[in-house]
Amino acid sequence: MKKNYLSLKPIALAVAMMSAGTCAYANQNQTILEDVVVTAAQMTTPTTIELDPKVPRQPLPAHDGADFLKTVPGFSVMRKAGADGEPNFRGMGGSRVNILADDQNIFGGCGQRMDAPTAYIFPEIYDKVTVIKGPQTVLYPGHGSAATVRFEKEQKTYDKPGYDVHASGLVGSFGRHDEVVDANLGNKDFFATFTGSNSKSDNYKDGNGNEVHSKYHRYSASSSVGVTPDNNKRFELSAGRSDGYAAYADRMMDGTKFLRENVAAKGQIKNVSGLIEKVDFQVSRNTIFHTMSMAMRGNPSSYMDVTHDTDAARVITDLNLRATTKAKVGMDYSQSTHGGNMPAHGYTDIREDSVFKNTALFAEITEELTKGKKIIAGYRGDYWNIKDKRSAMSSDTAGQTRTELTNSGFARIENQLSSLHNTNSFIGIGRSERMPDYWELITNRRDGEGQSGGSNYTNDNSSLISTKTEKTYQLDAGLIHKSSKFEAGVSLFYNQIKDFILVDARNETYTSGQYFTPTSRNVDAQTHGAELTTTYALTSVLKFNSSIAYVKGKNKTDGLPLAQLSPLEGRLALAYDDKKYSYGALLRLVASKDEVAIGQGNISGQDIGKSGGFGIFSLNGGYKPNKKTLIAAGIDNLFDKSYAEFISRTGNPMGLPLGYVRTTRVNEPGRTAWLKATIALD
Ligand SMILES: [Cu+2]
């Protein structure tokens, strides 16, 4: 009985605080101070969360896009080692979370999924990160069914000669050090930006003191130059390059090259006419060259290279249809070519294996019904053309092309409540039709046939034609309240997923070949859940933050729980901030997980087994000697607890260098101390 009471306590407390807060502190306009060190991101609007990637976070994220999202309730990250984790939102992994850098899709290249798109994204060089929950937008290429995450650079423009520079340096346990600079300058006619980042870490140790094969190094540089002929026009050219390496604790090879090169041309024209408020357009090219090898384990001759090149174009127009009606309409085009070699089998040259072409038209319309009440609806149609370029020896759909039209749409009502002050609510329905991705169609094999006799590759079992599109029908609802002493956000969702693409690697019926190539299976699934965040100002300098994330789901076809759903998680944080000094404490509580579907999951990984609950305690502090400088420090996992997340990869399999301990899952880092200094010059 006592145990039940304890486990329900965070929810009960949060609900009690919500009701107390709404009555006592309604109708005050002042807002609570922002976090100095972010431990749980609060909702910005009922459907979105906006994050400032230049602000320190706890626990200390790896310098990549996935780890950065960990502070958003509902996100979990599958750990492979020190960097390059896989983001998962509400139990949905892989391409269901649409990751965009400057509204461009960066697809990873690795068939074994070493490089999620977020492995190529260094958050701190961006100015804003926006998470849109559910299928409640149709405006972006790659259309995410579970969430859309935009990493954006906000181009600064100058009326007179000026500059803005953000620079930071970080040192931490396990030899970690990061250096980041984001410099912008310009005058009324021109602007230029330069960003650079460098991040390095040695192997970390888990709470038991065991070293994890996890060292990494990442570096990036990018630059853009542009002209602003007048206040309404902006044209820009940009280029960027990043590379690095990362050791992996969950497999027999490491990532020894992650080269991304990017060029883009962008333009914006505002106030074109009374009808056309704004036109944005861009063309871009992203190339990935990734190498996995055993070089970090003393065997450089064992390696494989993969390439993934994406050319894209996009135009979006903001229209003022009437005083109360606004619309965004646009078009996306992309073409992605994937290739690779297999030196172990004598092929050292890169051969193309597939080309994905996508053309999309989209429109989103907003109608203001009355003051504070609006309806937003959108439609996106994507036309797909996917060609299998493998040889007849490695695919029984060699030379074949699949074409498909996918339809996605949503409608929601947003309402400023008259009964509760400073409170916005929304309810929306959405349908998202997701084309299977490269991994689901080309890397994996099809369902319904036995093992192909121990052959090297998927051979005669291509899933190109057989794997159906995934249709998500989702109801989203939310409420957000902000007043001077209390803020709260609740979001709820319920869905039915027809033809959910389950990656099944349970046993030899579902896998084949020396790489245990798993199957892409269509099953019917259902998930539901909620996220809840609250902030309560105890005094003018002391506040209490809490968050809860919950998701539950089932695989109806197999009569099993749906795999890769994170357990219930809650965070409680106390933060003191007198604008010069700040102190914070964070307790993260994760429940145990008994409902599992071992061997099933998504392109990132599958369920390993049940997992136990844990609580992790962390501390942070900050010092602001002036408005431009912040020195922040933290100790994550203060009590050096040994633990692993439920969503994780199997730890240290065969093939690791001597001296590493095999664990069921890749263990999280033990006690980690860090110090970060940030300065802004303008
Ligand atoms: Cu790889």
Side-chain angles (χ1 to χ4, degrees):
M1 191 61 212
K2 195 167 180 224
K3 197 165 172 238
N4 279 339
Y5 170 72
L6 275 174
S7 64
L8 284 172
K9 208 173 166 186
I11 303 178
L13 186 64
V15 170
M17 280 172 41
M18 276 190 66
S19 37
T22 38
C23 306
Y25 301 106
N27 205 15
Q28 295 170 47
N29 291 323
Q30 184 190 343
T31 51
I32 302 173
L33 285 177
E34 307 253 312
D35 289 334
V36 178
V37 175
V38 176
T39 52
Q42 308 289 310
M43 287 161 65
T44 314
T45 74
T47 41
T48 62
I49 297 164
E50 275 178 20
L51 308 159
D52 181 350
K54 293 188 161 43
V55 170
R57 281 164 195 269
Q58 186 168 44
L60 175 67
H63 188 51
D64 74 25
D67 246 25
F68 171 82
L69 293 169
K70 260 187 194 168
T71 46
V72 178
F75 269 96
S76 10
V77 174
M78 171 183 282
R79 185 172 284 281
K80 301 162 185 167
D84 309 334
E86 291 272 353
N88 173 308
F89 184 64
R90 295 172 168 172
M92 296 291 135
S95 309
R96 296 176 184 102
V97 179
N98 186 24
I99 305 286
L100 296 154
D102 287 327
D103 291 339
Q104 297 159 32
N105 282 124
I106 306 167
F107 302 109
C110 183
Q112 326 306 323
R113 197 70 183 182
M114 281 179 171
D115 55 344
T118 41
Y120 298 96
I121 292 176
F122 312 107
E124 205 176 328
I125 64 170
Y126 293 90
D127 297 308
K128 190 165 100 176
V129 182
T130 310
V131 177
I132 305 161
K133 295 179 177 187
Q136 289 290 317
T137 181
V138 289
L139 299 178
Y140 305 104
H143 187 60
S145 55
T148 302
V149 183
R150 299 174 68 210
F151 289 83
E152 280 177 274
K153 191 105 190 79
E154 287 182 326
Q155 190 54 63
K156 292 171 181 74
T157 48
Y158 299 87
D159 295 332
K160 54 182 198 294
Y163 63 90
D164 293 272
V165 179
H166 162 91
S168 78
L170 178 146
V171 287
S173 302
F174 314 119
R176 170 82 181 264
H177 65 91
D178 289 12
E179 298 78 29
V180 177
V181 64
D182 174 6
N184 303 264
L185 71 150
N187 62 19
K188 73 179 194 19
D189 301 317
F190 303 97
F191 61 85
T193 67
F194 170 79
T195 73
S197 76
N198 183 55
S199 177
K200 201 164 191 272
S201 177
D202 294 334
N203 288 339
Y204 67 78
K205 283 184 178 162
D206 69 10
N208 289 331
N210 291 323
E211 198 167 323
V212 177
H213 187 57
S214 59
K215 61 185 169 194
Y216 65 87
H217 185 198
R218 281 303 155 81
Y219 42 95
S220 75
S222 72
S223 184
S224 65
V225 289
V227 292
T228 44
D230 59 47
N231 286 340
N232 290 321
K233 296 191 187 74
R234 183 159 65 73
F235 304 100
E236 181 188 340
L237 286 171
S238 63
R241 187 183 157 97
S242 59
D243 200 354
Y245 66 76
Y248 284 85
D250 66 325
R251 61 192 78 198
M252 294 170 73
M253 280 188 166
D254 303 303
T256 46
K257 188 189 256 192
F258 293 89
L259 178 65
R260 173 195 174 209
E261 290 174 310
N262 161 252
V263 286
K266 288 178 221 169
Q268 184 183 72
I269 304 171
K270 290 194 285 193
N271 302 314
V272 180
S273 68
L275 173 70
I276 303 173
E277 192 183 311
K278 193 171 76 161
V279 182
D280 281 285
F281 49 90
Q282 61 163 294
V283 291
S284 62
R285 179 168 173 78
N286 278 286
T287 61
I288 301 288
F289 193 108
H290 161 64
T291 303
M292 58 205 119
S293 92
M294 293 175 78
M296 293 167 79
R297 306 171 191 211
N299 183 9
S301 62
S302 179
Y303 75 99
M304 264 196 266
D305 302 311
V306 290
T307 59
H308 210 168
D309 300 342
T310 304
D311 295 324
R314 167 175 169 84
V315 57
I316 178 166
T317 309
D318 289 34
L319 302 174
N320 277 315
L321 298 177
R322 298 189 307 167
T324 57
T325 314
K326 287 181 180 265
K328 288 174 189 281
V329 295
M331 193 181 139
D332 281 315
Y333 174 78
S334 77
Q335 174 171 333
S336 289
T337 306
H338 190 279
N341 61 11
M342 227 183 283
H345 296 277
Y347 308 113
T348 50
D349 57 318
I350 302 277
R351 294 176 186 196
E352 292 178 2
D353 60 23
S354 62
V355 181
F356 280 58
K357 290 181 191 167
N358 173 217
T359 308
L361 291 172
F362 57 86
E364 204 166 285
I365 189 157
T366 303
E367 173 72 34
E368 196 172 341
L369 299 170
T370 56
K371 194 171 158 33
K373 187 171 188 172
K374 55 188 178 180
I375 182 162
I376 303 144
Y379 166 79
R380 180 179 183 94
D382 282 85
Y383 176 74
W384 298 87
N385 176 299
I386 299 162
K387 189 170 169 73
D388 184 347
K389 298 194 78 175
R390 291 171 292 185
S391 70
M393 256 176 65
S394 40
S395 166
D396 65 349
T397 55
Q400 290 188 39
T401 298
R402 173 169 173 182
T403 58
E404 196 90 51
L405 175 67
T406 56
N407 297 288
S408 301
F410 75 93
R412 74 171 175 269
I413 294 176
E414 292 185 3
N415 194 5
Q416 218 169 321
L417 298 184
S418 48
S419 51
L420 271 177
H421 288 285
N422 302 321
T423 304
N424 282 298
S425 71
F426 91 99
I427 184 158
I429 48 164
R431 176 197 201 264
S432 156
E433 183 172 7
R434 186 175 72 85
M435 189 67 203
D437 60 30
Y438 169 82
W439 294 266
E440 290 158 336
L441 289 187
I442 305 293
T443 309
N444 292 352
R445 42 159 288 192
R446 74 166 161 262
D447 188 18
E449 288 181 31
Q451 192 182 17
S452 59
S455 62
N456 284 325
Y457 225 51
T458 47
N459 284 1
D460 50 353
N461 288 312
S462 167
S463 56
L464 175 77
I465 306 297
S466 61
T467 304
K468 293 179 204 149
T469 62
E470 178 177 284
K471 280 78 66 180
T472 302
Y473 300 86
Q474 185 159 311
L475 180 72
D476 278 281
L479 195 70
I480 188 163
H481 171 82
K482 285 188 185 192
S483 54
S484 65
K485 291 193 175 167
F486 181 71
E487 291 179 7
V490 190
S491 54
L492 308 164
F493 72 98
Y494 175 89
N495 66 34
Q496 293 281 349
I497 311 175
K498 175 121 182 59
D499 297 322
F500 178 88
I501 303 166
L502 185 75
V503 176
D504 207 326
R506 269 180 295 178
N507 49 44
E508 56 278 11
T509 311
Y510 297 100
T511 59
S512 65
Q514 73 181 81
Y515 300 110
F516 302 102
T517 303
T519 301
S520 292
R521 289 180 59 212
N522 288 112
V523 298
D524 289 336
Q526 186 273 312
T527 70
H528 61 274
E531 296 92 39
L532 195 152
T533 58
T534 60
T535 298
Y536 183 79
L538 299 164
T539 71
S540 62
V541 292
L542 192 64
K543 67 175 180 176
F544 176 73
N545 286 335
S546 72
S547 73
I548 293 167
Y550 168 77
V551 60
K552 200 171 164 68
K554 57 186 176 219
N555 165 353
K556 297 193 288 186
T557 304
D558 296 339
L560 289 169
L562 193 65
Q564 295 290 291
L565 266 52
S566 284
L568 175 68
E569 170 168 342
R571 275 175 242 193
L572 303 169
L574 203 57
Y576 168 91
D577 177 15
D578 64 12
K579 295 187 181 173
K580 185 157 190 171
Y581 295 98
S582 67
Y583 309 98
L586 164 70
L587 178 62
R588 176 170 174 252
L589 295 165
V590 176
S592 62
K593 175 90 178 170
D594 295 322
E595 287 192 349
V596 296
I598 295 169
Q600 295 189 331
N602 53 49
I603 57 169
S604 323
Q606 293 84 40
D607 277 12
I608 295 167
K610 295 179 182 185
S611 70
F614 55 81
I616 301 297
F617 189 70
S618 302
L619 293 173
N620 66 66
Y623 170 57
K624 274 186 195 167
N626 55 53
K627 277 188 176 161
K628 314 268 180 186
T629 312
L630 167 66
I631 296 164
I635 304 174
D636 304 345
N637 192 2
L638 182 71
F639 300 114
D640 207 13
K641 197 172 164 59
S642 178
Y643 72 108
E645 303 288 345
F646 169 72
I647 294 191
S648 176
R649 302 266 307 178
T650 307
N652 297 357
M654 306 297 271
L656 266 180
L658 285 175
Y660 293 97
V661 176
R662 293 185 72 178
T663 49
T664 312
R665 291 177 163 82
V666 179
N667 281 344
E668 296 292 311
R671 187 186 300 123
T672 306
W674 52 269
L675 178 78
K676 181 174 183 175
T678 306
I679 54 165
L681 302 170
D682 48 33

